[in-house]
């Protein structure tokens, strides 16, 4: 089966070459990620020839299209058809928006009930291999819904597509997480590290992640805030609200380092939606 040399792979190769990695090292990384020798040869030949469509790694321009709500005129509410979502807080760098009235209490309960019987120790994407692994920094339990798996999920996904002006098909499946007392997720980035050998494999499914929306389904009694250490921001996990943030390139300069602070008392349940740059399969 022929493996296509995508623009994302070319950009990754350019960025790695600019960072000082050799062509033999890039070849080894691609082989480790499962790329066939023929596709590897084509990609590296284009790279060495200065492929004209590749973006300059030393100065990646901002993406021309990014997910996010229409905030023209600084609206207090955004009409998404089935409800009016509140705009509670905004920040420009990093681009962070806190939404209120994003989910009803009934929707929160329905998602928790459907997820509860399928919970397992949360995994994280392993960018060294392209697979999933247990991570000591993440001590929650979780599960994934398929897109449109049930009526509640379908309605929520359609709402988010309208709110964030991003195609529904570009979203990963909705993830539900439960944080018991003491559980946390230490600060991390949601984009896939371009320097890791497994990243080209991950990008085949839909390109880079470009935005995250964390929605709070059940608030704990104490603790559990979503934190942004680079800017000193903490978002309280209030039921029915959500925090959205985007990152136009996979780099710490986006200031999107974030984490889930430990739950001190009670349980925190969240739903997370990650958005990709193209259709996620």
């Amino acid at each position: 089966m022929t493996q296509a040399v995508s623009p994302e792979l070319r950009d990754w190769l350019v960025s790695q070459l600019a960072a000082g990695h050799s062509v033999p090292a890039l070849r080894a990384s691609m082989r480790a990620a499962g790329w066939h020798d023929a596709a590897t040869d084509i990609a590296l030949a284009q790279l060495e020839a200065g492929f004209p469509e590749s973006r300059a790694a030393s100065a990646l321009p901002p993406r021309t299209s990014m997910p996010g709500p229409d905030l023209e005129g600084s609206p207090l509410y955004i009409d998404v058809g089935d409800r009016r979502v509140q705009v509670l807080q905004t920040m420009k760098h990093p681009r962070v928006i806190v939404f209120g009235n994003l989910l009803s209490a009934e929707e929160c309960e329905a998602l928790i009930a459907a997820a509860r019987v399928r919970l397992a120790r949360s995994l994280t994407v392993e960018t060294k291999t392209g697979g999933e692994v247990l991570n000591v920094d993440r001590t929650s339990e979780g599960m994934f819904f398929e897109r449109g798996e049930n009526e509640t999920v379908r309605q929520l996904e359609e709402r988010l597509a309208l709110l964030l002006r991003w195609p529904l098909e570009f979203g990963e499946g909705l993830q539900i997480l439960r944080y018991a007392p003491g559980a946390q997720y230490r600060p991390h980035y949601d984009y896939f590290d371009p320097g890791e050998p497994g990243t080209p494999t991950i990008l085949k499914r839909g390109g880079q992640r470009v935005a995250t929306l964390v929605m709070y389904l059940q608030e704990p009694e104490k603790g559990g805030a979503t934190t942004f250490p680079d800017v000193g921001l903490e978002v309280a996990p209030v039921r029915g609200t959500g925090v959205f943030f985007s990152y136009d390139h996979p780099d710490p300069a986006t200031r999107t380092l974030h984490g889930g602070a430990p739950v001190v008392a009670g349980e925190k349940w969240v739903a997370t939606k990650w958005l990709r740059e193209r259709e996620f399969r």
Side-chain angles (χ1 to χ4, degrees), residues 242-273:
V243 57
F244 168 84
F245 54 99
S246 60
Y247 25 96
D248 60 5
H249 57 290
D251 191 275
T254 58
R255 305 174 82 187
T256 53
L257 183 70
H258 66 284
V263 170
V264 177
E267 287 187 353
K268 180 179 75 169
W269 287 74
V270 303
T272 302
K273 188 72 170 178

Side-chain angles (χ1 to χ4, degrees), residues 106-176:
E106 292 75 18
E107 288 172 325
C108 292
E109 288 295 337
L111 290 172
I112 291 173
R116 189 183 295 275
V117 295
R118 291 161 57 181
L119 292 179
R121 173 69 186 273
S122 299
L123 303 176
T124 56
V125 174
E126 174 53 77
T127 51
K128 293 186 183 300
T129 64
E132 292 183 316
V133 295
L134 285 174
N135 187 334
V136 295
D137 290 337
R138 191 179 206 181
T139 52
S140 60
E141 294 180 306
M143 55 79 66
F144 277 92
F145 287 114
E146 295 291 334
R147 281 202 307 258
E149 180 174 325
N150 59 47
E151 185 63 15
T152 303
V153 170
R154 184 190 65 77
Q155 289 180 349
L156 178 57
E157 288 175 333
E158 290 180 354
R159 183 183 308 151
L160 299 182
L162 288 172
L163 175 66
L164 302 176
R165 301 183 297 170
W166 205 244
L168 188 153
E169 295 79 13
F170 286 24
E172 297 182 26
L174 194 67
Q175 184 188 48
I176 307 297

Side-chain angles (χ1 to χ4, degrees), residues 19-31:
H21 297 286
S22 66
V23 169
L26 295 179
R27 183 183 298 277
S29 292
M30 290 184 67
R31 282 176 175 168

Side-chain angles (χ1 to χ4, degrees), residues 20-229:
H21 297 286
S22 66
V23 169
L26 295 179
R27 183 183 298 277
S29 292
M30 290 184 67
R31 282 176 175 168
W35 285 87
H36 301 157
D37 286 344
T40 300
D41 290 341
I42 291 172
L44 293 176
Q46 293 174 346
L47 178 68
E48 292 176 304
F51 196 91
E53 293 181 15
S54 293
R55 289 177 273 181
S58 59
L60 287 174
R63 296 179 185 274
T64 56
S65 179
M66 285 287 291
D70 183 2
L71 298 181
E72 184 69 27
S74 301
L76 300 181
Y77 298 89
I78 299 176
D79 189 344
V80 289
D82 61 346
R83 66 196 303 108
R84 296 176 75 216
V85 175
Q86 296 173 288
V87 179
L88 299 178
Q89 183 178 7
T90 65
M91 179 177 284
K92 290 186 177 180
H93 186 53
R95 190 186 186 207
V96 178
I97 304 163
V98 181
F99 295 113
N101 194 40
L102 189 54
L103 299 93
S104 68
E106 292 75 18
E107 288 172 325
C108 292
E109 288 295 337
L111 290 172
I112 291 173
R116 189 183 295 275
V117 295
R118 291 161 57 181
L119 292 179
R121 173 69 186 273
S122 299
L123 303 176
T124 56
V125 174
E126 174 53 77
T127 51
K128 293 186 183 300
T129 64
E132 292 183 316
V133 295
L134 285 174
N135 187 334
V136 295
D137 290 337
R138 191 179 206 181
T139 52
S140 60
E141 294 180 306
M143 55 79 66
F144 277 92
F145 287 114
E146 295 291 334
R147 281 202 307 258
E149 180 174 325
N150 59 47
E151 185 63 15
T152 303
V153 170
R154 184 190 65 77
Q155 289 180 349
L156 178 57
E157 288 175 333
E158 290 180 354
R159 183 183 308 151
L160 299 182
L162 288 172
L163 175 66
L164 302 176
R165 301 183 297 170
W166 205 244
L168 188 153
E169 295 79 13
F170 286 24
E172 297 182 26
L174 194 67
Q175 184 188 48
I176 307 297
L177 296 173
R178 170 188 174 270
Y179 291 84
Q184 64 178 315
Y185 194 1
R186 291 185 175 89
H188 61 282
Y189 298 99
D190 280 355
Y191 57 74
F192 304 115
D193 186 347
E196 295 290 351
T199 293
T201 297
I202 297 169
L203 298 184
K204 292 177 186 178
R205 296 195 67 189
Q208 265 289 0
R209 285 176 176 166
V210 291
T212 303
L213 176 61
V214 179
M215 297 162 280
Y216 307 109
L217 307 180
Q218 178 175 305
E219 55 195 62
E221 296 172 27
K222 295 181 181 179
T226 300
T227 64
F228 294 82

